[in-house]
């Protein structure tokens, strides 16, 4: 595998970063995850825009243009002969003396890892998964804004550990007021009486690109979508629930902690939305738009 490292595509074993890199020392940096279908990176412009937003929010100046980043991504796919790929861009503050001052780092470290996309087991989609509402609370926007796709992932990792201990596929975190926010790497939706609900940005979440598309797809299908502040009781009482992200797309949830959702099998609205999402992907592959 060839890894893009600061402008060069180097063999994986040569893709090395300094122990003085502030990404390693302090988790000081940002990232994006993308998915390529049949050689096309789905919603690449939206992901690059969000990367720049994350950069702005941590005052990290990215030393490549939007088009330059796109070119680097496609070169990584080409060099690795990839069509269906998982792509991760990581940008750290860079190498610098020990100390928190960002000015200690002269230039960011820019890495692109592109590897063959490994399909998730079909069974997950057919049967649905169990998730857990964990004790770890989501970072507050005033402390570390969840809108920043930050390399500092401990908040989510602590939640993930709790989910694993509970035998759950994903953890859902509440905010400090006790409202639902999001998963460790996913956004969450639920359906009640054929309407779709999802925590609002104000709850303190990452505005997922998949989330955004699903809202638009649902509205186009005539489904009422409401973004708001919801409690665990609201979701325990749902007819259907699902989680979303770029690589998973839409994954049905059938159980939250001890509460069976709906009939305990993936629901028809969820399955229908997933079909429509896949159509959006196909449309994008043909037209570059959705
Ligand atoms: N929320 C968090 C905390 C995430 O890390 C992610 C994706 O990595 C998402 C939500 C989903 O975002 P997207 O749909 O843009 O992949």
């Amino acid at each position: 595998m060839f890894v893009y490292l600061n402008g060069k595509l180097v063999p994986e074993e040569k893709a090395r970063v300094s122990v003085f890199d502030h990404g390693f020392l302090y988790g000081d940096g940002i990232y994006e995850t993308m998915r390529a279908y049949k050689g096309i990176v789905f919603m690449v412009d939206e992901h690059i825009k969000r990367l720049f937003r994350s950069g702005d929010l941590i005052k990290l100046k990215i030393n490549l243009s939007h088009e330059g980043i796109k070119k680097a991504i496609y070169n990584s796919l080409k060099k690795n002969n990839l069509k269906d790929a998982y792509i991760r861009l990581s940008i750290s503050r860079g190498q610098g003396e020990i100390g928190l001052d960002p000015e200690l780092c002269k230039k960011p470290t820019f890495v692109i890892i592109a590897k063959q996309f490994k399909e998730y087991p079909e069974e997950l989609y057919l049967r649905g998964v169990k998730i857990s509402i964990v004790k770890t609370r989501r970072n507050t926007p005033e402390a570390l804004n969840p809108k920043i796709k930050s390399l500092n992932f401990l908040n989510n990792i602590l939640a993930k550990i709790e989910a694993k201990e509970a035998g759950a596929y994903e953890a859902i975190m509440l905010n400090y007021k006790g409202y639902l926010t999001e998963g460790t790497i996913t956004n969450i939706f639920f359906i009640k009486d054929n309407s779709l609900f999802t925590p609002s940005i104000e709850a303190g979440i990452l505005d997922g690109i998949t989330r955004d598309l699903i809202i638009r797809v649902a509205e186009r299908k005539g489904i009422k979508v409401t973004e708001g502040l919801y409690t665990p009781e609201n979701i325990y009482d749902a007819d259907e629930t699902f989680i979303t992200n770029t690589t998973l797309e839409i994954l049905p949830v059938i159980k939250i902690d001890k509460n069976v959702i709906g009939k305990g099998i993936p629901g028809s609205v969820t399955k229908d939305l997933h079909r429509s999402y896949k159509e959006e992907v196909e449309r994008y592959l043909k037209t570059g738009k959705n």
Side-chain angles (χ1 to χ4, degrees):
M1 187 207 293
F2 286 85
V3 173
Y4 175 96
L5 176 61
N6 297 328
K8 291 199 186 83
L9 278 157
V10 296
E12 183 183 341
E13 28 335 319
K14 295 222 167 103
R16 294 282 178 261
V17 174
S18 164
V19 293
F20 289 96
D21 196 287
H22 281 213
F24 174 70
L25 288 173
Y26 306 115
D28 184 357
I30 53 174
Y31 83 102
E32 271 295 323
T33 300
M34 306 178 196
R35 178 169 172 181
Y37 300 82
K38 300 177 190 165
I40 309 256
V41 184
F42 188 54
M43 303 189 82
V44 62
D45 290 315
E46 286 76 1
H47 282 281
I48 296 175
K49 269 189 215 147
R50 192 170 64 182
L51 184 72
F52 276 100
R53 185 186 74 186
S54 293
D56 285 345
L57 287 168
I58 71 161
K59 301 197 186 319
L60 185 154
K61 197 168 166 352
I62 299 173
N63 51 1
L64 268 184
S65 66
H66 185 109
E67 286 309 311
I69 294 175
K70 214 172 178 173
K71 210 166 144 197
I73 296 169
Y74 274 100
N75 284 343
S76 304
L77 290 184
K78 199 165 160 213
K79 184 79 178 172
N80 288 296
N81 234 329
L82 293 168
K83 294 271 181 260
D84 295 302
Y86 164 93
I87 302 152
R88 178 173 162 124
L89 271 69
S90 313
I91 308 178
S92 79
R93 191 78 63 181
Q95 182 180 337
E97 247 320 313
I98 289 179
L100 302 191
D101 187 348
E103 284 181 23
L104 293 167
C105 306
K106 295 301 165 227
K107 67 173 187 358
T109 304
F110 199 140
V111 174
I112 303 176
I113 297 170
K115 52 181 196 165
Q116 180 60 39
F117 186 76
K118 209 167 141 259
E119 289 292 342
Y120 290 94
E122 211 189 337
E123 208 183 275
L124 288 183
Y125 295 89
L126 293 176
R127 291 208 186 146
V129 296
K130 177 191 161 187
I131 62 174
S132 178
I133 298 178
V134 296
K135 289 202 182 72
T136 303
R137 297 283 168 120
R138 188 71 175 119
N139 285 328
T140 63
E142 297 79 8
L144 177 56
N145 195 339
K147 271 189 175 173
I148 304 167
K149 262 183 98 70
S150 151
L151 290 187
N152 193 317
F153 229 55
L154 263 184
N155 182 211
N156 314 42
I157 290 167
L158 292 175
K160 177 74 184 177
I161 291 169
E162 279 191 71
K164 283 189 78 176
E165 285 169 356
Y169 185 82
E170 172 65 305
I172 299 299
M173 291 172 275
L174 305 177
N175 66 16
Y176 76 104
K177 288 183 176 155
Y179 294 113
L180 296 169
T181 62
E182 60 183 339
T184 61
I185 54 163
T186 59
N187 290 114
I188 185 148
F189 287 82
F190 63 96
I191 294 151
K192 183 78 189 164
D193 300 330
N194 290 315
S195 286
L196 188 60
F197 300 87
T198 192
S200 58
I201 308 296
E202 290 66 43
I205 60 166
L206 177 75
D207 45 349
I209 287 167
T210 319
R211 173 187 180 277
D212 196 54
L213 180 56
I214 288 163
I215 291 174
R216 282 187 279 135
V217 166
E219 282 174 341
R220 249 184 260 155
K221 291 171 79 70
I223 299 173
K224 183 164 180 275
V225 185
T226 313
E227 298 173 60
L229 297 174
Y230 304 109
T231 62
E233 285 66 36
N234 293 140
I235 201 164
Y236 291 152
D237 190 38
D239 300 327
E240 301 180 29
T241 302
F242 60 85
I243 52 176
T244 67
N245 76 18
T246 294
T247 53
L248 278 169
E249 303 178 340
I250 295 181
L251 185 61
V253 170
I254 50 157
K255 202 170 177 196
I256 307 179
D257 299 313
K258 292 195 166 54
N259 304 274
V260 174
I261 302 301
K263 298 191 182 82
I265 51 169
S268 57
V269 180
T270 304
K271 285 197 278 193
D272 189 40
L273 276 171
H274 199 177
R275 264 193 301 275
S276 302
Y277 182 88
K278 284 186 182 297
E279 282 164 21
E280 285 298 325
V281 173
E282 287 303 323
R283 196 199 320 265
Y284 185 91
L285 300 187
K286 285 199 194 97
T287 65
K289 288 200 282 272
N290 41 39

